Amino acid sequence: KLPLESIQVVLEELRKNGNLEWLDKNKTNFLIMWRRPEEWGKLIYQWVLKNGLTNSVFTLYELVSGDDTENEEFHGLDETMLLRALQALQQEHKAEIITLDDGRGVKFF
């Protein structure tokens, strides 16, 4: 058991490193991330490059649940974190999140 002050120090350190995000202003709810969205994006983009899939379009489902990604670390990634990772890639002009008839997808560059 840690005192509240010690817990707050640990949580603040996680936030500084980008592995924690406060979900409310009172700092009572938070999201702890194993990897930052940028790190997930990098792993996804490495897979795209390794497999020659630039200029390809994928549904979000295909990326995290498809047979092609079964052995990848991002397989099974939560959709919220996946979207954050893809937004990070979009800011780097490596991907574009698109709306498809049956949901969302992504095109890699």
Side-chain angles (χ1 to χ4, degrees):
K1 294 183 177 183
L2 287 175
L4 183 58
E5 294 170 359
S6 298
I7 293 171
Q8 290 172 334
V9 168
V10 170
L11 294 177
E12 180 58 23
E13 197 61 33
L14 286 168
R15 187 201 61 77
K16 285 180 187 176
N17 291 331
N19 295 98
L20 181 139
E21 182 179 306
W22 291 108
L23 299 175
D24 63 352
K25 291 182 182 183
N26 296 328
K27 296 185 178 181
T28 57
N29 294 309
F30 53 88
L31 172 67
I32 293 182
M33 299 173 271
W34 174 252
R35 287 194 170 99
R36 291 175 287 144
E38 299 81 11
E39 294 171 325
W40 284 117
K42 184 177 179 180
L43 285 173
I44 293 167
Y45 198 68
Q46 287 172 345
W47 173 79
V48 168
L49 293 176
K50 179 178 74 176
N51 291 289
L53 298 170
T54 53
N55 294 316
S56 297
V57 175
F58 293 91
T59 65
L60 300 188
Y61 177 84
E62 286 176 306
L63 277 180
V64 295
S65 301
D67 294 339
D68 293 338
T69 64
E70 197 169 50
N71 296 320
E72 301 300 323
E73 291 183 62
F74 58 87
H75 188 84
L77 187 64
D78 175 72
E79 186 174 324
T80 301
M81 186 56 68
L82 174 63
L83 280 170
R84 291 177 182 200
L86 295 176
Q87 287 167 347
L89 288 175
Q90 188 167 268
Q91 289 177 347
E92 297 175 19
H93 306 289
K94 294 180 178 178
E96 181 181 354
I97 300 170
I98 56 177
T99 302
L100 303 170
D101 292 339
D102 55 347
R104 291 191 211 167
V106 61
K107 180 175 182 176
F108 293 102
F109 304 110

